[in-house]
Amino acid sequence: MRASRVGADPVIVEFERKFVKALKAYGIPFFAHEFVRDEARQNELKDRGVSRAAWGQSAHNFGCAVDLIHSTRGWQLSELEWNCVGLIGKETARKMNIKIKWGGDFKSLWDPAHWELEGWENLAPF
């Protein structure tokens, strides 16, 4: 279940490493579950209803996103627990001086494990 970093944008990889380290300082064990998705994986997640994005419409398809989950509980955290994790992630991004979007703030599909570089659409090689 551990993510490969091959093809991931170096900024999102650095964010993930610093974020996991910050969580560890609070005694919260997390790891990167997924960075880059190929077409088959993206379509599988869309078909299962856990993603609304088709191939080419997700930051994961261009290595500009990461899904982070708890090391023993996976996605099974309460909304309050996810919100605490979200605050730590946002603070990590602020300290790095990068713009990150958190899936816990998404209106259409709540996805608190998801973090993506803001403006990834401009970085993707269309």
Side-chain angles (χ1 to χ4, degrees):
M1 288 185 45
R2 305 265 175 182
S4 169
R5 290 165 176 77
V6 175
D9 186 288
V11 175
I12 200 75
V13 172
E14 181 183 5
F15 168 75
E16 174 265 335
R17 289 189 174 138
K18 289 182 177 184
F19 187 12
V20 168
K21 185 177 180 180
L23 288 165
K24 185 177 181 181
Y26 287 99
I28 307 169
F30 262 65
F31 69 92
H33 170 67
E34 192 165 41
F35 281 96
V36 180
R37 292 185 190 146
D38 63 17
E39 185 172 2
R41 174 76 172 146
Q42 187 64 48
N43 290 337
E44 171 198 345
L45 293 174
K46 186 174 189 310
D47 291 346
R48 286 184 17 213
V50 296
S51 177
R52 293 213 172 138
W55 169 249
Q57 298 175 337
S58 170
H60 284 287
N61 305 149
F62 304 97
C64 295
V66 62
D67 289 343
L68 292 145
I69 60 174
H70 193 278
S71 295
T72 58
R73 294 169 53 199
W75 290 264
Q76 305 305 312
L77 277 68
S78 70
E79 187 172 347
L80 178 62
E81 289 169 323
W82 276 118
N83 286 336
C84 290
V85 169
L87 288 173
I88 296 167
K90 290 176 183 182
E91 179 63 9
T92 300
R94 186 195 66 75
K95 286 179 178 178
M96 291 177 63
N97 199 29
I98 61 171
K99 303 233 184 240
I100 289 280
K101 287 185 183 178
W102 176 45
D105 290 332
F106 290 176
K107 303 293 183 223
S108 61
L109 180 66
W110 190 65
D111 188 3
H114 179 85
W115 297 83
E116 65 184 44
L117 296 175
E118 191 172 303
W120 67 267
E121 302 90 336
N122 300 322
L123 303 172
F126 291 95

